[in-house]
Each structure stands twice: as structure tokens, then as C-alpha cells.
């Protein structure tokens, strides 16, 4: 049903956000948190050191490929039996999730006339997670009308399958209109479920890492303040805006990568 305030959520239902497992939650769930991370005090704050960076990298890769789904983490035997290995279990979980969110009846209630078009656009966006795009570019690549692309993007975001991250001006201010944006899967393991597991040298690894970093903010009020920028010196992958004045409070750059849309 609708919420008490009458605001309709997805398909007229009240929507609650239940994010996929974050990396720290995944480490805690598999019992590796205390062995892979060592807490230490720095400047009055608790920081963490990695005694074995290679082992931490392997755990992060495992999380990218399937750690977002508790059933895959907790029930590996059952998942392998049902889906042909851990990868098959991730694939099966992704199929169920995407099938639920892209359900024809539910999509129709949000003005989606052609579920096949919606699914095709989602697959294209999933393959290019972390890439910068625009409605015009997506319309040209998919053959859909721009208004249709906007409607489908709104639906996929409200369904919890992806989110758009806006860009800020090089001077640090918000643009009045979001002409270009980055599209990220809400769970990086959706990529592995759709296209197969990735390894350290996979072409999508850098983009998935960025998607994974962004996923840590899901369910947080700070998520709305996450942006990116393009500067003459290069891209700034992640910028946090101050909630009070809307100005950049911190920024970080991740590994270099190619942002071209396939």
C-alpha cells in the first residue's frame, strides 16, 4: 500500500531500501574481517590497515562477483547445486531479482509499454556500469525516443537496479539540469550475474570497482550528495557535497579507465 503521506512508491507501493551487502558486511559474514583488517588509531579516528593486501584484494574481487547476495555467501553448497557453481548461483539470484523488478505487470503500472525494450536498455546500462552518458546518447545507441529513455531510467532507478550520479561544475557548483550523468548498478555482482565473473585484468574491472565503492553509501542519507566532475587535468570520480552549502567537502580519484559507452 501507499505510505501514510499518500506518496506512491514503485507501482503504487511503499518502497523500502534494502541494499545489497557492503564489502565490510561481506567480510564480517564470511568471518574474515578480523584477519584481513587491523584497526588502528590515527588522528583520533579509527582507521584500518591491511596486513595482507593480496588477500584483501581477493576478497574484494569475490565480493564484486557475488558477495552482494547473502544466499550465495551463506549457502554456497545449495547455490552450486542449483546453479552450477558459485557463478551459477549468482546468475540465478540476478535472474530472480531482475525478473521481479522488470515484471511486465509492475512495469506497465509505471508507463512501460514494452518490457522487452526496458530489459534491453537495462542490459546495455549494466554492461556499461560506471560510464558517463546522457539521455541523448542512450537514445541514439538504443534507438528509443528520448522521453522513453527518461521514463525507463526513472523506472530502473525506482526499482533499485541502478542509480544515476550527477556531475558538478569544475568550479564545484551543481548544474541546473543533469545533462550528463554516470549510471551505476546498485550491486556490482549484477554484472557477474549477467555477463559472467570478472578477474583482475577484465576490461570492466575499474568501472566495477567504482560501482562497488559507490555501493557502500546505499541506504545512507549522504548518497544524495555524491557527484563526479570532469576537470582539464582529468576526471574526479567521486565528490561528496556538503549537505548545508552544497559545496564539495571531499573528493577522490580511482584507477584510470576508459569511460566510452559500448
Amino acid at each position: 500500500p501507499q505510505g501514510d503521506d499518500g506518496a506512491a512508491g514503485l507501482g503504487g507501493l511503499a518502497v523500502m531500501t534494502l541494499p545489497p551487502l557492503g564489502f565490510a558486511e561481506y567480510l564480517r559474514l564470511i568471518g574474515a574481517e578480523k584477519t584481513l583488517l587491523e584497526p588502528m588509531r590515527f588522528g583520533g579516528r579509527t582507521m584500518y590497515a591491511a596486513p595482507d593486501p593480496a588477500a584483501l584484494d581477493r576478497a574484494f574481487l569475490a565480493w564484486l562477483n557475488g558477495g552482494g547476495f547473502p544466499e550465495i555467501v551463506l549457502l554456497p553448497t545449495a547455490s552450486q547445486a542449483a546453479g552450477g557453481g558459485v557463478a551459477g548461483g549468482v546468475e540465478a539470484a540476478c535472474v530472480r531479482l531482475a525478473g521481479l523488478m522488470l515484471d511486465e505487470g509492475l512495469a506497465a503500472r509505471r508507463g512501460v509499454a514494452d518490457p522487452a525494450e526496458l530489459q534491453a536498455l537495462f542490459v546495455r546500462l549494466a554492461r556499461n556500469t560506471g560510464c558517463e552518458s546522457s539521455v541523448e546518447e542512450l537514445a541514439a545507441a538504443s534507438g528509443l525516443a528520448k522521453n522513453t529513455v527518461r521514463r525507463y531510467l526513472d523506472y530502473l532507478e525506482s526499482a533499485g537496479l541502478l542509480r544515476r550520479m550527477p556531475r558538478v561544475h569544475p568550479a564545484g557548483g551543481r548544474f541546473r539540469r543533469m545533462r550528463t550523468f554516470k549510471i551505476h548498478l546498485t550491486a556490482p555482482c549484477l554484472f557477474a550475474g549477467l555477463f559472467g565473473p570478472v578477474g583482475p585484468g577484465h576490461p570492466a574491472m575499474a568501472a566495477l570497482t567504482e560501482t562497488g565503492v559507490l555501493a557502500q553509501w546505499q541506504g545512507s542519507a549522504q548518497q544524495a550528495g555524491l557527484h563526479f566532475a570532469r576537470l582539464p587535468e582529468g576526471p574526479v570520480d567521486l565528490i561528496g557535497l556538503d549537505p548545508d552549502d552544497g559545496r564539495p567537502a571531499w573528493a577522490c580519484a580511482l584507477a584510470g579507465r576508459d569511460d566510452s559507452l559500448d
Side-chain angles (χ1 to χ4, degrees):
Q2 295 182 353
D4 293 337
D5 60 357
L10 179 61
L13 304 175
V15 176
M16 297 180 66
T17 299
L18 183 61
L21 289 175
F23 183 46
E25 294 172 316
Y26 169 74
L27 293 180
R28 190 172 303 124
L29 198 61
I30 65 174
E33 183 181 29
K34 293 183 178 180
T35 58
L36 294 179
L37 296 175
E38 181 180 321
M40 56 185 296
R41 300 290 293 177
F42 183 79
R45 301 179 59 184
T46 300
M47 310 289 284
Y48 292 88
D52 188 346
L56 187 63
D57 285 346
R58 290 192 295 270
F60 182 72
L61 184 60
W63 173 74
L64 284 181
N65 280 321
F69 296 106
E71 63 182 283
I72 304 301
V73 179
L74 295 174
L75 302 174
T77 303
S79 300
Q80 291 180 36
V86 173
V90 175
E91 180 179 358
C94 289
V95 168
R96 290 197 299 273
L97 175 61
L100 175 64
M101 294 294 97
L102 300 178
D103 175 79
E104 182 174 353
L106 189 59
R109 297 181 65 179
R110 292 294 299 272
V112 176
D114 191 334
E117 283 184 349
L118 175 67
Q119 184 174 358
L121 180 63
F122 171 65
V123 171
R124 176 182 293 275
L125 297 173
R127 186 181 295 277
N128 292 281
T129 184
C131 290
E132 183 178 352
S133 189
S134 66
V135 168
E136 290 76 14
E137 185 178 357
L138 290 172
S142 64
L144 300 174
K146 288 187 288 187
N147 284 339
T148 300
V149 170
R150 292 189 184 95
R151 187 166 63 250
Y152 287 179
L153 286 174
D154 289 342
Y155 176 81
L156 291 170
E157 192 162 15
S158 67
L161 292 173
L162 57 81
R163 74 174 301 267
R164 285 167 284 188
M165 185 168 66
R167 184 166 64 94
V168 293
H169 190 273
R174 299 174 188 257
F175 286 99
R176 292 185 178 180
R177 293 184 59 188
M178 187 169 60
R179 296 184 180 275
T180 65
F181 43 82
K182 282 189 179 182
I183 297 177
H184 287 277
L185 290 169
T186 53
C189 54
L190 286 170
F191 186 95
L194 292 169
F195 311 112
V198 302
H202 193 282
M205 185 62 195
L208 282 173
T209 298
E210 183 176 321
T211 292
V213 170
L214 188 66
Q216 309 305 299
W217 273 272
Q218 289 189 84
S220 168
Q222 299 179 30
Q223 179 176 239
L226 298 180
H227 291 64
F228 75 99
R230 281 192 272 109
L231 304 180
E233 298 82 4
V236 182
D237 301 305
L238 198 55
I239 298 173
L241 301 187
D242 187 286
D244 295 325
D245 60 16
R247 302 293 298 175
W250 56 267
C252 70
L254 303 175
R257 36 174 295 223
D258 179 9
D259 274 342
S260 58
L261 185 70
D262 292 335

